[in-house]
Amino acid sequence: MNARESMEYDVVIVGGGPSGLSAAIRLKQLAADKGQDISVCLLEKGSEIGAHILSGAVLEPRTLNELIPDWKDKGAPLNTPAQKDQFLLLTETESIQLPTPPQMHNEGNYIISLGNFCRWLGQQAEELGVEIYPGFAAAEVLYHPDGSVKGVATGNVGTGKNGDQEGEPGIELWAKQTVFAEGCRGSLTKTLFERFKLRNGADPQTYGIGIKELWEVKPELHQPGKITHTAGWPMDTATYGGSFLYHLENNQVVVGFVVGLDYQNPYLSPYEEFQRFKTHPAIKGVFEGGRRLSYGARAISEGGLQSIPKLTFPGGVLIGDTAGFLNVPKIKGTHTAMKSAMLAAEAIAEALATAQEGQPIEAAAYTDKFKQSWLYDELYRVRNIRPSFRWGLWPAMLYSALDTYLFRGKAPWTLHHQHADHECLKPKDECTPIAYPKPDGVLTFDRLSSVFISNTNHSEDQPPHLKLKDPTVPIRVNLEKYDAPEQRYCPAGVYEIVGREEGEPRLQINAQNCVHCKTCDIKDPTQNIGWVTPEGGGGPNYPNM
Amino acid sequence: MKIVVPVKRVIDANVKVRLKADGSAVDSDNAKMSMNPFDEIAVEEAIRLKEAGAAGEIVAVSIGSDACQDVLRAALAMGADRALLIRTEAVLEPLAVAKLLREVVAREQPRLVICGKQSTDGDANQAGQMLAGLLGWPQATFASKLDLGTDGATVTREIDGGLEIIAVTLPAVVTTDLRLNSPRYTTLPNIMKAKKKPLDVVALDEFGVDTRPRLTTLGLAEPAARSAGVRVADVAELLAKLKNEAKVI
Ligand SMILES: Cc1cc2nc3c(=O)[nH]c(=O)nc-3n(C[C@H](O)[C@H](O)[C@H](O)COP(=O)(O)OP(=O)(O)OC[C@H]3O[C@@H](n4cnc5c(N)ncnc54)[C@H](O)[C@@H]3O)c2cc1C
Ligand code: SF4
């Protein structure tokens, strides 16, 4: 293969989600204000901006107002103001309306497609002179001899199934600052955690998996702006999980389900729980006569403030969900991701202006700016809610009410996350298998017909992007001890145990179906599965998600 | 020798298309769009001819909205030299496309036009043939191999039941089939360079061509959903089902 070419920028941003795009925009705004020249390049692994974005989403416009105050005139796709909030507690057959917790109030918010919002942010960034390259994944972090980050390299392409064919080499992007905006469980961020010991002193990050469908419903059942959240059934009280149901524009309704990845029963299937949830008497009506348009899944960072790592290191910063800025009780991470991006951009612009030639730059002021911002205050107030759920649903609801109403988020203690999610799984012998109902093909569906409408594809001519450290572990440990939980937690049916009948079970990995949710990388009990970037452009092609 | 390559922006091959709820059209709302795969093969072939020294300038042409600049940039990133967008919001029928391309040929004077055999949206498989007809040029459709000489080309065509090898004189229109080549990966540096290559935008009206539709669409329907498969116990049951239920044997 030929040698890699290289390109140089002031700032390279990895990831075109709300955080990466906001950082790009803010940098260009600051450059214009100060007459500074800052070149910015952004890489996105999806085939286009928005292709890999999956969210709820109710957007709190607070950060958008700060970033682009005239967003209305610029045609931002915020078309559905939030109307009625509803919070339901479900039992198998009943639903009880609970008072909506204050974090879940949505006055002034908008129901949006985050993918479409990102498409719009991408246009704004390009107009400001940001170079955006979708279809290119950052596959590797590059370092200077002094250990500081030098930039990233895109992956090689066309190297064949076993990686042994002559392909096209990737390209090196060098930058004074590299901004990692990979979203939840970033694959490069993970390597930075180790290299720079960024997680020292922070709680383990905890996660949830969010699975979502987009429906077109009958016009008479459509109530634009309506917001429903549920807790309870079909989850047992020991497992953290709940649903969201939002009415968008154009007779579209999104429905989704989030399950905390600290669940214990290896027989649990977040996908099947979601399918089952839709059949609840209080829920199913809205889908009658409707049709499902799209499907997808994505992990969510749920650790909150306690789990935020060190944010800066020589040569780069972490922003958005890859650092874990999500507000969990609100299940909102967009305005927080964007805010962290703005703060980082400000620190970077300052650092670039005062940088000395040849010296690595660390935008350390970003951390101070964060501590002084409303973002810190917002995350501080809700920091105890998610950890309290390890006591189970009822004590947690009670505690959360106390923490919120009595202490107003200022309780003089902080609850910590004790375990990483992959440590929480119990051996199968200690758990009961769960019998899930069969899909009916109308309201509930199987995995494959779901993945089909996520428009997912990976070129076959590449090595698998799901790497096993030890190829014997899936059978020796995962199957023997946990009944191969990856068959159930993967929302795309990537992992299959085949050959059981012949007495030679083996794990088959259908990597081309992967929707890049990152759940396997998080939940695999021995951390034997590693998710790395496939060739750029591979993965889902979500419309309106 | 100059080559003109028409390229169309279509819904990406990975996207599962469906109709709008009222059945009036295909729903392309925020769907990923790409260059028609057969046109990608056409661009690739033109570049290979150029790299082999058999061709000179490559001009990519698209007809459609401003969004089509994306596919033109993609063609430039692959290696086309120049691009032309004929801007219109209207959806054109193959005859209108062919008429516009005839005007492009009159302006550009290429010796060869390489088109995709069809676009994956309309699947009409007409524009290339109509263009050759309007120009009075020879046509070699469904090409799986193209050897270019100075005055003519030898083209292997994919036809029902086999291959046909024909010779055409130049200028000519060639349409590409799937096996002609596999298009290259576009690299980041080439995408960056493509941003600086010339891309002209001309309004459709300036061509003075009658592009009014000649056809009326009566209706659109999605293919019937496949019913779920059943597991059969043995060969005997399979044969019985094929005979009595499917009635195919
Ligand atoms: C089911 C669900 C519901 C949610 N609901 C809401 C809600 O209602 N309101 C709300 O505010 N928030 C919600 N969130 C959270 C919100 O979506 C996230 O907080 C937000 O998207 C984080 O933005 P980000 O830019 O950090 O990361 P992402 O949005 O994840 O973007 C990261 C981008 O980087 C790209 N990328 C990653 N790695 C690489 C690489 N190595 N090279 C190139 N590109 C790369 C990805 O493809 C992606 O496009 C929800 C999330 C989920 C999953
Ligand atoms: S393979 Fe992993 S990342 Fe891909 S869809 Fe399955 S769980 Fe998600």
Side-chain angles (χ1 to χ4, degrees):
Chain A
M1 207 182 296
N2 307 328
R4 286 199 293 217
E5 288 185 48
S6 62
M7 302 278 307
E8 244 184 298
Y9 292 89
D10 292 317
V11 180
V12 165
I13 300 174
V14 179
S19 67
L21 292 164
S22 300
I25 290 170
R26 189 76 192 123
L27 279 165
K28 283 292 184 186
Q29 289 174 341
L30 291 166
D33 286 354
K34 297 190 180 133
Q36 217 173 334
D37 191 20
I38 305 179
S39 58
V40 183
C41 164
L42 184 150
L43 297 180
E44 165 55 49
K45 65 178 162 66
S47 63
E48 60 176 0
I49 295 290
H52 287 184
I53 298 293
L54 181 137
S55 188
V58 179
L59 178 77
E60 193 174 304
R62 182 169 188 176
T63 318
L64 180 60
N65 289 334
E66 292 178 12
L67 183 68
I68 306 178
D70 56 345
W71 52 265
K72 261 198 186 119
D73 302 332
K74 293 201 157 110
L78 276 57
N79 303 325
T80 316
Q83 302 292 338
K84 206 174 114 196
D85 266 306
Q86 200 181 31
F87 185 46
L88 303 178
L89 182 68
L90 303 185
T91 67
E92 191 164 352
T93 49
E94 303 295 321
S95 68
I96 304 144
Q97 178 133 9
L98 296 182
T100 305
Q103 302 92 359
M104 283 187 166
H105 281 293
N106 281 302
E107 297 91 341
N109 296 343
Y110 292 82
I111 306 179
I112 61 163
S113 150
L114 189 61
N116 294 348
F117 179 63
C118 286
R119 289 181 176 98
W120 175 82
L121 279 178
Q123 289 163 6
Q124 307 309 307
E126 281 194 318
E127 277 167 26
L128 292 171
V130 177
E131 290 183 33
I132 299 185
Y133 298 107
F136 291 91
E140 182 190 340
V141 183
L142 305 171
Y143 295 96
H144 286 291
D146 67 7
S148 62
V149 170
K150 181 183 185 181
V152 289
T154 64
N156 302 336
V157 290
T159 54
K161 268 200 167 64
N162 304 313
D164 51 7
Q165 285 173 28
E166 169 85 26
E168 281 283 339
I171 160 167
E172 298 195 355
L173 294 151
W174 298 346
K176 299 191 179 100
Q177 277 285 299
T178 307
V179 177
F180 294 85
E182 297 179 281
C184 178
R185 194 74 171 190
S187 51
L188 296 184
T189 305
K190 208 172 137 181
T191 66
L192 296 166
F193 284 159
E194 265 174 47
R195 174 113 185 182
F196 294 106
K197 308 264 177 293
L198 300 176
R199 299 214 63 88
N200 283 2
D203 283 6
Q205 184 58 272
T206 69
Y207 301 88
I209 174 175
I211 308 178
K212 168 180 164 181
E213 294 176 350
L214 177 66
W215 282 70
E216 187 171 70
V217 302
K218 288 216 277 211
E220 58 269 31
L221 299 173
H222 187 234
Q223 297 171 261
K226 184 175 174 189
I227 294 175
T228 307
H229 291 110
T230 73
W233 190 86
M235 308 292 355
D236 59 41
T237 54
T239 312
Y240 182 78
S243 77
F244 57 91
L245 206 148
Y246 307 146
H247 289 239
L248 279 146
E249 64 234 49
N250 301 333
N251 297 325
Q252 291 181 351
V253 168
V254 299
V255 56
F257 205 87
V258 179
V259 176
L261 283 176
D262 56 350
Y263 72 81
Q264 299 176 339
N265 185 344
Y267 292 109
L268 184 138
S269 162
Y271 177 85
E272 305 287 352
E273 296 291 348
F274 172 39
Q275 295 303 317
R276 186 152 78 160
F277 157 75
K278 285 186 290 175
T279 65
H280 192 277
I283 301 298
K284 67 178 177 197
V286 67
F287 303 114
E288 202 144 304
R291 59 173 186 163
R292 195 169 68 139
L293 302 181
S294 194
Y295 167 87
R298 181 80 172 98
I300 304 180
S301 308
E302 288 190 343
L305 191 64
Q306 298 87 311
S307 302
I308 291 179
K310 183 164 185 285
L311 298 169
T312 65
F313 41 87
V317 300
L318 307 176
I319 61 172
D321 257 10
T322 205
F325 284 105
L326 190 114
N327 179 328
V328 191
K330 274 190 185 172
I331 46 164
K332 290 192 181 66
T334 307
H335 69 290
T336 54
M338 291 173 71
K339 181 67 185 178
S340 71
M342 288 181 70
L343 298 169
E346 283 155 23
I348 289 171
E350 286 164 18
L352 287 175
T354 56
Q356 314 233 325
E357 196 56 41
Q359 293 289 318
I361 302 174
E362 179 160 350
Y366 168 30
T367 311
D368 307 326
K369 286 178 192 287
F370 164 54
K371 293 221 166 107
Q372 286 148 24
S373 68
W374 58 254
L375 175 57
Y376 184 89
D377 186 54
E378 176 176 331
L379 296 180
Y380 183 80
R381 282 170 191 267
V382 297
R383 75 198 178 289
N384 285 333
I385 296 192
R386 174 66 180 95
S388 74
F389 275 80
R390 66 166 175 268
W391 302 322
L393 181 64
W394 303 119
M397 297 249 279
L398 193 66
Y399 174 82
S400 299
L402 284 178
D403 197 295
T404 306
Y405 293 104
L406 197 65
F407 295 107
R408 311 216 162 260
K410 302 267 178 186
W413 57 79
T414 293
L415 302 177
H416 287 277
H417 303 284
Q418 261 109 356
H419 302 287
D421 292 332
H422 69 268
E423 299 165 338
C424 297
L425 220 46
K426 285 187 177 159
K428 64 176 182 185
D429 301 335
E430 296 172 28
C431 299
T432 343
I434 307 175
Y436 291 108
K438 275 212 154 30
D440 64 8
V442 180
L443 176 63
T444 57
F445 305 89
D446 62 21
R447 277 187 177 74
L448 284 186
S449 62
S450 300
V451 184
F452 186 72
I453 53 171
S454 68
N455 303 326
T456 298
N457 191 38
H458 292 86
S459 109
E460 283 186 6
D461 208 24
Q462 61 179 314
H465 69 280
L466 300 148
K467 309 268 183 212
L468 300 177
K469 278 187 209 147
D470 176 346
T472 68
V473 163
I475 301 303
R476 197 162 49 80
V477 181
N478 289 26
L479 183 62
E480 295 279 303
K481 198 168 167 197
Y482 302 103
D483 200 42
E486 60 274 17
Q487 301 179 86
R488 282 169 228 104
Y489 62 61
C490 172
V494 168
Y495 299 99
E496 261 181 288
I497 299 287
V498 295
R500 269 199 219 216
E501 278 134 32
E502 295 82 43
E504 275 181 44
R506 63 184 181 85
L507 179 68
Q508 177 174 306
I509 303 182
N510 308 310
Q512 72 279 5
N513 281 357
C514 172
V515 296
H516 296 199
C517 74
K518 312 277 181 85
T519 303
C520 51
D521 195 270
I522 297 165
K523 188 66 178 168
D524 184 51
T526 62
Q527 294 286 281
N528 187 50
I529 301 176
W531 189 100
V532 300
T533 49
E535 278 183 9
N541 282 287
Y542 294 136
N544 303 318
M545 290 291 262
Chain B
M1 175 187 309
K2 192 191 273 186
I3 304 181
V4 161
V5 186
V7 295
K8 186 173 184 186
R9 179 175 184 262
V10 298
I11 294 186
D12 187 89
N14 291 317
V15 174
K16 311 302 176 294
V17 291
R18 58 163 179 268
L19 293 180
K20 289 188 175 158
D22 63 4
S24 63
V26 167
D27 187 355
S28 58
D29 182 28
N30 289 304
K32 156 91 176 131
M33 307 295 281
S34 295
M35 192 192 302
N36 174 37
F38 293 108
D39 300 346
E40 239 182 318
I41 295 173
V43 176
E44 176 66 32
E45 195 63 18
I47 298 166
R48 289 187 187 188
L49 291 170
K50 183 175 172 177
E51 285 170 349
E57 195 182 31
I58 302 167
V59 184
V61 184
S62 194
I63 306 169
S65 70
D66 267 326
C68 296
Q69 293 198 19
D70 284 359
V71 295
L72 288 172
R73 288 285 170 213
L76 294 171
M78 285 176 74
D81 299 293
R82 266 195 308 123
L84 169 67
L85 171 64
I86 301 176
R87 185 165 49 202
T88 172
E89 295 300 325
V91 178
L92 301 184
E93 290 171 2
L95 181 60
V97 170
K99 286 185 193 165
L100 285 164
L101 291 176
R102 176 178 58 182
E103 298 305 315
V104 173
V105 166
R107 290 182 183 198
E108 296 285 346
Q109 298 289 321
R111 298 271 288 157
L112 186 64
V113 176
I114 311 182
C115 309
K117 70 167 177 180
Q118 67 198 61
S119 59
T120 53
D121 51 0
D123 276 343
N125 188 343
Q126 294 170 357
Q129 291 89 327
M130 287 177 168
L131 173 63
L134 290 173
L135 289 166
W137 287 9
Q139 55 177 290
T141 50
F142 315 128
S144 64
K145 191 162 185 290
L146 170 61
D147 286 314
L148 193 62
T150 35
D151 301 317
T154 310
V155 179
T156 306
R157 305 182 59 227
E158 304 226 350
I159 56 169
D160 286 348
L163 299 174
E164 179 186 54
I165 301 173
I166 63 168
V168 289
T169 53
L170 296 182
V173 176
V174 173
T175 77
T176 63
D177 215 320
L178 214 51
R179 270 181 281 267
L180 183 58
N181 60 50
S182 16
R184 66 196 58 200
Y185 288 94
T186 34
T187 62
L188 250 185
N190 285 340
I191 293 176
M192 294 172 185
K193 281 176 211 145
K195 289 192 171 172
K196 303 204 174 77
K197 290 187 183 176
L199 191 163
D200 293 330
V201 181
V202 181
L204 178 113
D205 303 341
E206 288 185 29
F207 286 85
V209 168
D210 176 9
T211 57
R212 278 173 302 175
R214 299 288 198 275
L215 308 170
T216 317
T217 302
L218 300 180
L220 294 165
E222 288 183 14
R226 220 174 116 241
S227 50
V230 287
R231 202 175 268 276
V232 291
D234 50 28
V235 178
E237 191 189 338
L238 174 67
L239 287 175
K241 278 198 189 294
L242 288 175
K243 201 172 193 141
N244 305 328
E245 288 176 29
K247 299 198 196 314
V248 288
I249 53 172

